[in-house]
């Protein structure tokens, strides 16, 4: 569960980062768009203001020139010369330098020509003003020159506004393209990350599966090394002793040694059965053969087989099973019930009680095997079904286990659509529960 | 049979759609043949000068020249059928047969230049009326230079409306 939560957290974090990045990109592009608009509009405004100021100067000049024609005086002349200088200095201001490069070549040429006209007109005015008396034709020329200056200003204004508009359209389109590219890249990034997350999860799952399989194999080795060694030591030792001391052995000793050999043989046989069953289940494609199973009959069969052991240990083995049909593989259910009852008998001391009962919960039947044995802690109950963590505990009469029984039960129950769990109190007893689906067609 | 009928209908609708889309590119300019209500010429005059000629035309004098109409949707509060004389006709009438640049002045002191190379110059109209009525002198009157060929691009923002000079009172040939 922990790795899943961790993955979800990482995924949520990546998603949040991507969403924020995209939002920021949108904000940045629109911000740039806005600032470009503002910049262009500021440029237009300042140009228009400069042009208007120049025009006002020109009009003032025109009026001053008219006044001078009517009443030529040194003062008026000085004023005209001053206005002339101001107009000439404004020429620099009204040159839309920031826009150079955005006009067509033809318009660039035309603008240069316009500034020359502007300059020539003012130059001419200076020359005419320097003359002692002005003829009517010269006055007319001055008026024409001033009109020409106004037309030049209008031309500069017109072309600048058009160039700024074109520039604004170009920049908007460039920004729109940039925005599209960012969106496309973000989309691509999201898809790539999703694919990566998918493969990471798949890899992690595969990795977990592989680790589990390695653990299972380790456990197999451990069982083979430790659990097989014990009984074989007894087998070899006892049989050697029996062959060496055959002449001097009393009948009682022979019975004692041969029963030890028999027990060791049974232990090896049990282990072998579990190992075979386990490896069969582990093989890919191990088939399930489910059918309608009469649970009470099946439990009674197992109880009948195990009653001699219970009697031998002076344990009361009772059943309280309702008549329910379940739909499962009978061999597997039989193995589970037998394992759980023999486990209960193993860990219950003389005089104790082992009870097998069942009841229906919705569409499932729940079977309980409880005992008054040595019990277990919560931690033990939690790990008892996992193959990689469990170690076998000897029974109350020193019975040896393989450590394979309960993991085997878990696997079998889950394969049949059920669930298994355990609980207990140290010194008071343990309880194992499992569920199986009810065969509704036969009940 | 029904299928071919549907197909024919589809083609017909597509053709109409294409025709309509094509029609949106520029506003059509056609000669105007209707009657116009008389208007007092006070304030409704335009000065046209260049090449040593100078002409001051009143609205009634102007409307004696060949008139054209064009239906234009604008972004301002003036949309509909614009009626007036073609700029090139007006210049010819004033004795200006060719030009490179015009200087246009409006009553609100707006000044702009027009080039002979400007797109749609042959169809540019000095409009004296909108939907049969003269423009108010406070709003776009006396005359409004409209560019039917640029209408679509101007309204979509592709082209600036700098040369759509309203309240025009003077047109001067500079070059």
């Amino acid at each position: 569960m922990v790795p899943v939560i961790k993955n979800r957290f990482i995924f949520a974090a990546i998603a949040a980062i991507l969403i924020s990045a995209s939002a920021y990109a949108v904000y940045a592009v629109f911000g740039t768009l806005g600032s470009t608009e503002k910049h262009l509009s500021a440029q237009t405004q300042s140009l228009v203001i400069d042009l208007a100021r120049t025009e006002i100067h020109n009009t003032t000049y025109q009026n001053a020139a008219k006044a001078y024609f009517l009443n030529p005086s040194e003062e008026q002349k000085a004023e005209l010369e001053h206005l002339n200088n101001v107009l000439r200095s404004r020429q620099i201001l009204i040159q839309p330098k920031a826009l150079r490069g955005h006009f067509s070549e033809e318009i660039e040429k035309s603008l240069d020509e316009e500034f020359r006209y502007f300059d020539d007109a003012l130059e001419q005015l200076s020359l005419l003003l320097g003359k002692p008396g002005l003829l009517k034709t010269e006055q007319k020329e001055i008026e024409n020159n001033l009109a020409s200056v106004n037309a030049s200003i209008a031309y500069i204004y017109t072309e600048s506004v058009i160039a700024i508009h074109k520039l604004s359209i170009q920049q908007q389109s460039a920004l729109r393209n940039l925005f599209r590219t960012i969106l496309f890249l973000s989309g691509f990034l999201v898809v790539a990350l999703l694919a990566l997350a998918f493969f990471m999860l798949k890899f992690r799952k595969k990795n977990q599966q592989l680790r589990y399989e390695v653990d299972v194999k380790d456990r197999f080795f451990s069982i083979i090394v430790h659990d097989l060694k014990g009984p074989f030591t007894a087998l070899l030792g006892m049989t050697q002793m029996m062959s060496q001391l055959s002449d001097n052995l009393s009948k009682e000793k022979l019975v004692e040694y041969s029963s030890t050999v028999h027990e060791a043989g049974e232990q090896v046989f049990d282990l072998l059965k579990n190992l075979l069953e386990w490896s069969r289940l582990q093989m890919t494609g191990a088939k399930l053969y489910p059918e309608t199973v009469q649970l009470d009959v099946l439990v009674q069969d197992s109880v009948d087989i195990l009653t001699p052991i219970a009697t031998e240990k002076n344990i009361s083995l009772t059943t309280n099973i309702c008549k329910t049909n379940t739909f499962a593989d009978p061999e597997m259910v039989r193995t589970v019930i037998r394992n759980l009852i023999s486990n209960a008998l193993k860990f219950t001391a003389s005089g104790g009680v082992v009870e097998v009962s069942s009841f229906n919960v919705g569409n499932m039947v729940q079977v309980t095997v409880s005992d008054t044995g040595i019990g277990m802690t919560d931690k033990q109950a939690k790990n008892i079904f996992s193959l990689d963590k469990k170690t076998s505990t000897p029974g109350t009469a020193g019975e040896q286990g393989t450590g394979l029984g309960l993991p085997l039960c878990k696997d079998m129950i889950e394969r049949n659509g059920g669930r298994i769990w355990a609980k207990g109190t140290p010194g008071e007893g343990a309880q194992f529960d499992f569920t199986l689906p009810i065969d509704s067609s036969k009940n | 049979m029904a299928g071919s009928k549907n197909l024919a209908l589809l083609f017909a609708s597509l053709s109409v759609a294409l025709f309509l889309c094509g029609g949106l590119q520029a506003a059509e300019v056609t000669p105007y043949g209707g009657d116009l209500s008389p208007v007092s010429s006070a304030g409704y005059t335009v000065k046209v000068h260049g090449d040593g000629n100078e002409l001051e035309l009143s609205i009634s004098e102007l409307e004696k020249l060949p008139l054209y109409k064009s239906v234009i949707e604008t972004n301002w509060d003036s949309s509909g059928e614009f009626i007036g004389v073609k700029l090139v006709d007006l210049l010819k009438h004033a004795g200006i047969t060719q030009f490179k640049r015009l200087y246009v002045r409006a009553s609100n002191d707006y000044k702009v230049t027009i080039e002979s190379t400007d797109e749609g110059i042959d169809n540019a109209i000095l409009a004296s009326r909108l939907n049969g009525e003269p423009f108010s002198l406070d709003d776009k009157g006396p005359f409004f230079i409209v560019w039917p060929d640029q209408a679509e691009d101007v309204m979509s923002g592709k082209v600036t409306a700098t040369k759509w000079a309203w309240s025009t009172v003077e047109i001067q040939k500079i070059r």
Side-chain angles (χ1 to χ4, degrees):
Chain A
M1 207 51 200
V2 172
V4 176
I5 290 169
K6 211 170 167 187
N7 276 337
R8 275 185 196 159
F9 177 74
I10 292 167
F11 183 75
I14 290 170
I17 290 167
L18 277 171
I19 290 166
S20 320
S22 305
Y24 179 73
V26 173
Y27 168 78
V29 167
F30 278 108
T32 318
L33 198 72
S35 67
T36 308
E37 289 275 302
K38 266 187 204 158
H39 172 69
L40 284 174
S41 121
Q43 219 171 39
T44 324
Q45 274 174 20
S46 86
L47 182 67
V48 169
I49 289 167
D50 281 334
L51 287 167
R53 277 185 188 150
T54 313
E55 213 174 68
I56 290 165
H57 273 293
N58 193 38
T59 313
T60 318
Y61 192 104
Q62 227 162 347
N63 291 336
K66 271 180 194 159
Y68 176 67
F69 301 150
L70 290 172
N71 179 25
S73 70
E74 277 309 306
E75 252 177 65
Q76 284 281 3
K77 198 175 159 185
E79 174 69 10
L80 273 181
E81 272 166 359
H82 166 70
L83 286 169
N84 191 286
N85 287 337
V86 172
L87 265 181
R88 293 186 89 162
S89 66
R90 292 211 69 83
Q91 209 205 30
I92 296 158
L93 284 176
I94 59 170
Q95 289 215 35
K97 281 187 186 148
L99 292 170
R100 290 277 162 144
H102 296 289
F103 291 117
S104 70
E105 208 176 307
E106 197 187 338
I107 287 169
E108 284 275 357
K109 254 192 216 165
S110 193
L111 275 173
D112 285 340
E113 199 182 339
E114 219 50 54
F115 286 115
R116 270 204 304 280
Y117 277 124
F118 190 97
D119 208 37
D120 287 351
L122 292 171
E123 183 70 37
Q124 283 245 301
L125 286 170
S126 306
L127 287 173
L128 287 169
L129 285 172
K131 291 180 80 173
L134 288 171
L135 299 171
K136 268 272 173 214
T137 49
E138 286 170 335
Q139 285 182 18
K140 187 75 192 161
E141 205 176 332
I142 290 176
E143 277 172 12
N144 282 345
N145 278 330
L146 288 166
S148 167
V149 168
N150 259 358
S152 300
I153 294 166
Y155 178 72
I156 298 160
Y157 163 78
T158 310
E159 291 309 327
S160 302
V161 169
I162 292 169
I164 286 169
H165 185 265
K166 273 186 191 159
L167 192 61
S168 153
I169 298 244
Q170 272 171 17
Q171 294 197 344
Q172 274 180 24
S173 137
L175 280 165
R176 237 174 261 131
N177 284 342
L178 177 72
F179 180 56
R180 257 184 235 126
T181 314
I182 289 171
L183 265 189
F184 172 76
L185 284 177
S186 309
F188 179 75
L189 209 63
V190 168
V191 171
L193 277 164
L194 280 176
L196 192 71
F198 173 75
F199 284 115
M200 264 171 69
L201 278 174
K202 216 175 161 184
F203 175 72
R204 186 185 274 265
K205 222 171 165 183
K206 186 90 193 154
N207 200 24
Q208 276 172 348
Q209 177 69 23
L210 281 171
R211 195 174 294 167
Y212 176 75
E213 279 171 17
V214 168
D215 285 344
V216 170
K217 282 186 177 61
D218 283 353
R219 182 72 195 142
F220 263 74
F221 271 111
S222 140
I223 288 162
I224 288 162
V225 169
H226 292 102
D227 299 0
L228 270 180
K229 203 177 157 192
F232 269 104
T233 313
L235 270 174
L236 294 172
M238 286 296 153
T239 45
Q240 193 186 24
M241 214 187 313
M242 279 158 83
S243 66
Q244 281 172 356
L245 305 171
S246 56
D247 294 341
N248 306 323
L249 271 181
S250 65
K251 194 183 172 190
E252 289 78 23
K253 275 285 170 197
L254 194 64
V255 169
E256 190 194 324
Y257 289 169
S258 55
S259 56
T260 308
V261 169
H262 179 75
E263 271 172 29
E266 266 190 342
Q267 211 178 318
V268 174
F269 184 60
D270 273 353
L271 178 63
L272 205 61
K273 270 198 298 186
N274 271 345
L275 273 175
L276 285 173
E277 194 64 36
W278 180 259
S279 49
R280 189 178 73 84
L281 284 179
Q282 289 306 309
M283 277 192 292
T284 322
K287 288 252 173 77
L288 199 68
Y289 299 99
E291 58 182 70
T292 302
V293 176
Q294 284 180 280
L295 206 60
D296 53 328
V297 175
L298 203 130
V299 169
Q300 198 52 54
D301 283 353
S302 303
V303 166
D304 288 348
I305 292 166
L306 295 164
T307 298
I309 298 170
T311 312
E312 198 184 319
K313 274 188 90 172
N314 190 26
I315 293 167
S316 156
L317 175 58
T318 60
T319 59
N320 184 19
I321 300 288
C322 53
K323 279 188 177 296
T324 309
N325 289 330
T326 178
F327 190 72
D329 185 323
E331 281 318 307
M332 289 191 186
V333 180
R334 201 189 303 276
T335 311
V336 171
I337 290 172
R338 205 179 296 163
N339 257 308
L340 291 181
I341 298 175
S342 61
N343 249 3
L345 293 172
K346 182 174 152 187
F347 295 107
T348 304
S350 177
V353 177
V354 171
E355 191 186 4
V356 189
S357 58
S358 82
F359 59 95
N360 296 350
V361 189
N363 55 355
M364 305 293 273
V365 57
Q366 184 171 327
V367 180
T368 305
V369 179
S370 60
D371 62 55
T372 55
I374 59 164
M376 63 184 132
T377 61
D378 286 346
K379 197 180 170 191
Q380 278 174 318
K382 203 177 154 194
N383 293 331
I384 206 157
F385 297 104
S386 83
L387 187 75
D388 49 340
K389 289 186 179 128
K390 190 180 169 289
T391 50
S392 179
T393 314
T396 50
E399 301 97 322
Q400 289 296 320
T402 61
L404 268 178
L406 288 173
L408 192 61
C409 289
K410 184 175 187 277
D411 198 352
M412 285 173 168
I413 289 296
E414 283 173 359
R415 272 165 198 262
N416 281 284
R419 219 165 62 79
I420 189 166
W421 65 97
K423 57 188 174 191
T425 314
E428 284 181 21
Q431 183 179 318
F432 287 80
D433 296 89
F434 69 85
T435 58
L436 282 171
I438 292 174
D439 184 359
S440 50
S441 64
K442 302 281 177 182
N443 282 304
Chain B
M1 197 59 194
S4 65
K5 203 173 170 185
N6 283 341
L7 207 66
L9 266 173
L10 181 73
F11 273 119
S13 351
L14 273 176
S15 318
V16 170
L18 280 172
F19 173 76
L20 285 175
C21 287
L24 285 173
Q25 292 304 308
E28 212 183 340
V29 179
T30 51
Y32 182 77
D35 291 329
L36 291 169
S37 56
V39 181
S40 150
S41 58
Y44 286 91
T45 53
V46 61
K47 193 170 152 191
V48 186
H49 53 117
D51 291 344
N53 304 304
E54 191 170 320
L55 191 67
E56 184 142 3
L57 285 163
S58 68
I59 187 164
S60 51
E61 286 167 330
L62 188 94
E63 288 177 345
K64 279 179 192 147
L65 298 173
L67 292 177
Y68 289 85
K69 61 177 180 181
S70 184
V71 177
I72 303 169
E73 198 67 35
T74 73
N75 289 337
W76 313 290
D77 54 357
S78 308
S79 293
E81 188 183 58
F82 287 84
I83 303 162
V85 291
K86 282 193 178 180
L87 211 52
V88 281
D89 289 351
L90 177 66
L91 291 167
K92 268 179 210 156
H93 181 71
I96 302 164
T97 46
Q98 45 184 319
F99 69 94
K100 247 181 94 181
R101 183 175 304 154
L102 299 175
Y103 169 56
V104 176
R105 197 173 62 80
S107 61
N108 58 8
D109 233 18
Y110 179 76
K111 296 170 188 93
V112 77
T113 50
I114 290 172
E115 306 295 301
S116 59
T117 50
D118 283 344
E119 192 202 329
I121 184 78
D122 291 339
N123 273 334
I125 292 171
L126 180 76
S128 55
R129 308 215 180 202
L130 174 62
N131 298 324
E133 294 300 317
F135 296 98
S136 155
L137 287 177
D138 300 336
D139 182 23
K140 304 192 174 61
F143 304 109
F144 187 172
I145 301 178
V146 292
W147 300 75
D149 292 0
Q150 295 181 5
E152 188 70 14
D153 283 347
V154 164
M155 296 320 138
S156 69
K158 273 188 210 161
V159 170
T160 167
T162 317
K163 299 192 182 190
W164 292 56
W166 58 67
S167 306
T168 300
V169 288
E170 186 183 347
I171 301 168
Q172 185 185 0
K173 176 187 164 177
I174 295 293
R175 308 250 184 283

